[in-house]
Amino acid sequence: MKTAVIVFPGSNRDRDMFHALELITGTRPQSVWHTETTLPDADLVIVPGGFSYGDYLRSGAIAARSPILKDMVARANAGVSILGVCNGFQILTEAGLLPGALMRNAGLNFVCKEVLLETVNNTTRFSNAFDKGQVWRCPVAHHDGNYFADADTLKAIEDNGRVVFRYANGTNPNGSINDIAGIVNDKGNVLGMMPHPENLVEPLQGGTDGRALFESLISALETA
């Protein structure tokens, strides 16, 4: 599986993502600086976590207007798999690829800890290696992870199975509506999620729960 990771000023989980992808796919991802205008040929494009542009204006708002985003949006519209994690999720909403917004955490504090996630839809290309209803561990590290959408948008997301992951067992760290931790677009090829699966992919990190997300993408590619 060929992968590319977009890097912005303030990205700080890009190297974590490089390591996870190389470990799981056996191939080093291509790094793409935000001022580039064309993405390399890739099966998966990742927008990593961090604090792009210092989270000025709104988290992800400036990064969503970077030159490389035009081609990323075009790739998304063409069906290429796009994964946005944490700040990447914020950037995807600001770019209009996913609905809703990520607001300040309900407690108005930065949260860095491990939470539990429930896989509520395991039919997507990002979640097919999980069991439906499976609860798994995943780290979070964010200040603006409180997912919100208006009533009509939320109903459409819920009714169409676009919520892929929810915070489970009372571990919602940010106040996200309906405990939403990760959603896909209507085509199912763009996923945004606040937790960091790349930080739980090998025993040295304390577990391998996050591997299933990346293995899902490999499986989806092989059967496409």
Side-chain angles (χ1 to χ4, degrees):
M1 182 170 71
K2 293 177 290 185
T3 60
V5 179
I6 301 176
V7 181
F8 301 90
S11 295
N12 67 5
R13 296 300 181 96
D14 46 313
R15 294 187 180 184
D16 295 16
M17 192 63 75
F18 295 150
H19 175 73
L21 290 168
E22 185 171 15
L23 178 71
I24 296 169
T25 70
T27 302
R28 182 73 174 172
Q30 297 191 64
S31 178
V32 182
W33 188 235
H34 68 114
T35 57
E36 297 293 326
T37 57
T38 305
L39 286 162
D41 180 31
D43 303 302
L44 169 66
V45 177
I46 295 183
V47 190
F51 304 93
S52 58
Y53 293 93
D55 279 350
Y56 289 106
L57 185 60
R58 292 185 309 275
S59 297
I62 300 176
R65 287 147 183 84
S66 294
I68 196 61
L69 263 290
K70 183 176 181 180
D71 192 42
M72 191 189 77
V73 170
R75 301 289 181 100
N77 291 335
V80 173
S81 296
I82 310 290
L83 170 62
V85 174
C86 198
N87 187 226
F89 189 7
Q90 296 161 347
I91 292 169
L92 293 180
T93 60
E94 289 286 346
L97 286 174
L98 291 172
L102 283 308
M103 307 187 302
R104 291 287 173 89
N105 294 346
L108 300 182
N109 292 313
F110 179 82
V111 178
C112 183
K113 62 181 183 179
E114 187 176 280
V115 299
L116 295 175
L117 301 180
E118 178 187 0
T119 303
V120 293
N121 181 352
N122 71 334
T123 66
T124 77
R125 66 180 70 180
F126 302 95
S127 59
N128 63 78
F130 294 95
D131 293 327
K132 182 175 175 59
Q134 180 178 342
V135 175
W136 53 288
R137 300 159 49 219
C138 199
V140 297
H142 58 256
H143 191 277
D144 297 5
N146 185 353
Y147 182 77
F148 177 81
D150 64 77
D152 289 341
T153 300
L154 184 63
K155 185 177 187 304
I157 292 170
E158 294 283 7
D159 289 352
N160 290 288
R162 290 171 56 186
V163 177
V164 181
F165 304 116
R166 295 191 203 274
Y167 300 109
N169 298 355
T171 63
N172 184 334
N174 50 45
S176 287
I177 194 168
N178 290 11
D179 291 327
I180 290 173
I183 63 171
V184 288
N185 64 340
D186 56 354
K187 293 181 179 179
N189 66 301
V190 178
L191 172 71
M193 61 185 299
M194 286 309 297
H196 288 272
E198 76 277 13
N199 289 143
L200 205 64
V201 297
E202 59 180 332
L204 285 174
Q205 295 174 321
T208 60
D209 290 30
R211 288 185 69 101
L213 187 141
F214 302 101
E215 291 168 350
S216 295
L217 286 159
I218 294 171
S219 175
L221 181 64
E222 290 175 345
T223 58

